[in-house]
Amino acid sequence: MADSMTYRLHVTATVSFYLVAALAMVMVNKWVLNVTSVPLFFLFTQLIIAVILFFLGHTLKIITAPMIRVDLPIVKGLASTVILNVLSLSTSNYSLKFVDASFYQVARGLVLPFTVLTSYVMLRTRPSFRILVSCSVVTSGFFIGVFLDKVHVSGLGILFGISSSLMSALHAAVMKRGFQVVEGSALSMSWYSNLLSSVLLLPFIIIFGEGPAVLDILSGRAEGLQTFLVGSAITGTVGFLLSIALALSIKVTSPISHMISSAVRGVAASVLGVALFGDILTSDRVSAIILILGGSIYYTWIKHVESTASPPPRQYEPVPMEKLEDGVGEKGQEQMKSEP
């Protein structure tokens, strides 16, 4: 009884930790992006802060990342994973900058269909009919939110949301190879992703022309320095904690519980968007969110059922009795002849 109660408390604490961390990440990101024009540099500071915290945690033996070193084979092995991680996070930040916090989940609503598609194309994983149904529900939610909602939504924000969904799906598909490089350690994967992604992101900050805006913010010539610094500290720390929370959430909870907690996070994000930023929640937008979350939960349940189903018993073709008797008779006769 005591062990059961301890386990439930552990699961509740882990899920709550994940929910709070994920919600804080989205809300603070939106708060900073509303007053700054440097989404890539903002992402860079988040990654660097997370790297520093990982290093400190590893040094102080609070956490253990077995492969904390960086060498050429690791960089080569994680190249595709890191590139897709940068593209996913960058397009996600741009999407959040251009759309409401309450609409952000709709803008990135095609993650599930893209994940199933990329798994089929890249991993040859053939989806079942019920999986396709769940993807259809999610896709219908996306189209309702984009095309039927009466509130004006930035087309650029939607485009970045679609791009982010695709990059996230591709990232999930190639991450399996990345885990082979880091020997299956989730914390090691998070450490390398943050470190290598921050290095890769640096030249793009210059290429996309954020350099002058960064100098203006840091020198105080532009507004938003305090918001940027506070937001970077919070999101960098939360991003570090979220890496641990996500690993713990997947480890101690079932996939269904994890997906339901993600659904609760999505609903809470929409409500907080209305409360904190004055977002508008129309009936079409609410319907879109319900369909996307409902389809995602249904998908997780189907995957759980399919993964736990026992394989069907092996079927044998019936053998005619006369053949069976003839065979036994012949063998029996041969055996009798061979006996002295």
Side-chain angles (χ1 to χ4, degrees), residues 264-293:
V264 172
R265 181 196 67 186
V267 174
S270 300
V271 174
L272 286 175
V274 174
L276 298 178
F277 305 113
D279 294 351
I280 300 173
L281 272 182
T282 63
S283 58
D284 290 327
R285 188 169 294 188
V286 171
S287 299
I289 292 172
I290 291 174
L291 286 172
I292 291 172
L293 295 179

Side-chain angles (χ1 to χ4, degrees), residues 62-198:
I62 299 173
I63 60 173
T64 302
M67 295 176 63
I68 201 111
R69 71 186 187 281
V70 179
D71 52 29
L72 189 58
I74 290 176
V75 173
K76 286 183 177 180
L78 295 178
S80 58
T81 303
V82 171
I83 291 172
L84 288 170
N85 183 54
V86 168
L87 291 174
S88 174
L89 293 174
S90 300
T91 50
S92 177
N93 260 16
Y94 273 110
S95 178
L96 186 58
K97 178 174 178 60
F98 290 111
V99 302
D100 295 341
S102 62
F103 190 79
Y104 175 64
Q105 186 165 263
V106 177
R108 295 189 72 248
L110 293 179
V111 173
L112 175 59
F114 280 145
T115 299
V116 173
L117 178 61
T118 53
S119 295
Y120 174 71
V121 174
M122 300 176 63
L123 305 177
R124 300 302 177 188
T125 304
R126 194 178 188 85
S128 65
F129 175 75
R130 290 187 293 181
I131 292 295
L132 295 178
V133 170
S134 68
C135 291
S136 300
V137 173
V138 171
T139 304
S140 66
F142 172 80
F143 281 106
I144 287 174
V146 170
F147 294 107
L148 298 184
D149 191 21
K150 304 300 187 296
V151 179
H152 173 73
V153 180
S154 168
L156 198 57
I158 294 173
L159 181 61
F160 278 122
I162 296 173
S163 301
S164 177
S165 300
L166 179 59
M167 294 302 107
S168 296
L170 291 171
H171 181 247
V174 304
M175 191 177 286
K176 289 186 178 181
R177 284 177 285 180
F179 272 113
Q180 295 175 359
V181 177
V182 299
E183 299 179 355
S185 171
L187 286 178
S188 293
M189 174 63 78
S190 183
W191 153 259
Y192 284 119
S193 292
N194 282 284
L195 176 63
L196 298 178
S197 295
S198 63

Side-chain angles (χ1 to χ4, degrees), residues 34-55:
N34 276 346
V35 297
T36 63
S37 57
V38 287
L40 293 183
F41 183 69
F42 179 45
L43 176 59
F44 172 77
T45 60
Q46 293 173 339
L47 295 172
I48 287 296
I49 291 172
V51 166
I52 293 172
L53 292 175
F54 262 107
F55 183 76

Side-chain angles (χ1 to χ4, degrees), residues 292-303:
I292 291 172
L293 295 179
S296 300
I297 294 174
Y298 179 61
Y299 166 83
T300 307
W301 180 74
I302 291 301
K303 291 293 289 183

